[in-house]
Amino acid sequence: MQTERLIDTVAWVLIEDGRILCARPRGKDVFYIPGGKREGDESDLQTLLREIDEELTVALAPDTAVHVGTYEAELPGPTPGLVRMSCYTADYTGTIAPSSEIDETAWFTYADRDRVPPVDQLLFDDLVRVGLLPATPVRAR
């Protein structure tokens, strides 16, 4: 019996003006919620702080981190397995800018849901359900 592969990740949920921040890693053609894989015995918070500093060159305020939810979905593509994504909001200092690991950042609405992987889509759905992300784009004033 083959053991199913599990990729354990932590992600930062930043919503501003009815849009959620997404990032496209270097060499990839898909956007993700910013964050990454846990290293060794790192806690969720340690992983979150390290990954966001590495990817977006901002510092998260650890005492403001709030767990939004944890989501699991099948890995996209031919490799069998699951990805688990523990999601947190947190305040930050600095200016969001793509690092050497990230080609591009973008602000997505719920209408962009099909541009992110299945586990991120679960987050989008949950954020709409609880009213944190509008189901329809917010109109500019």
Side-chain angles (χ1 to χ4, degrees):
M1 182 174 164
Q2 185 178 9
T3 303
E4 192 168 73
R5 180 175 170 208
L6 174 67
I7 297 177
D8 185 20
T9 66
V10 181
W12 181 39
V13 176
L14 180 62
I15 299 170
E16 292 182 0
D17 300 324
R19 301 175 303 157
I20 186 168
L21 180 65
C22 293
R24 186 173 58 81
R26 189 160 311 289
K28 305 263 180 161
D29 60 358
V30 67
F31 282 85
Y32 298 88
I33 301 301
K37 297 176 192 167
R38 185 183 318 274
E39 291 181 359
D41 61 353
E42 281 182 327
S43 68
D44 280 5
L45 185 58
Q46 290 168 325
T47 304
L48 184 69
L49 297 175
R50 176 184 52 75
E51 284 288 343
I52 297 310
D53 176 57
E54 289 174 1
E55 290 187 359
L56 301 174
T57 67
V58 295
L60 298 184
D63 57 334
T64 66
V66 176
H67 184 250
V68 173
T70 299
Y71 307 89
E72 286 188 4
E74 291 292 323
L75 285 171
T79 306
L82 290 174
V83 62
R84 176 186 303 134
M85 183 172 70
S86 300
C87 299
Y88 293 82
T89 58
D91 295 339
Y92 69 97
T93 57
T95 301
I96 295 172
S99 72
S100 60
E101 294 181 9
I102 302 297
D103 270 342
E104 177 182 10
T105 59
W107 292 93
F108 283 5
T109 66
Y110 189 68
D112 298 302
R113 179 185 180 275
D114 64 340
R115 297 178 63 193
V116 298
V119 73
D120 295 45
Q121 291 177 9
L122 295 175
L123 169 66
F124 275 47
D125 293 345
D126 205 31
L127 292 172
V128 167
R129 185 183 58 76
V130 298
L132 294 175
L133 187 66
T136 57
V138 176
R139 296 188 188 273
R141 295 175 200 209

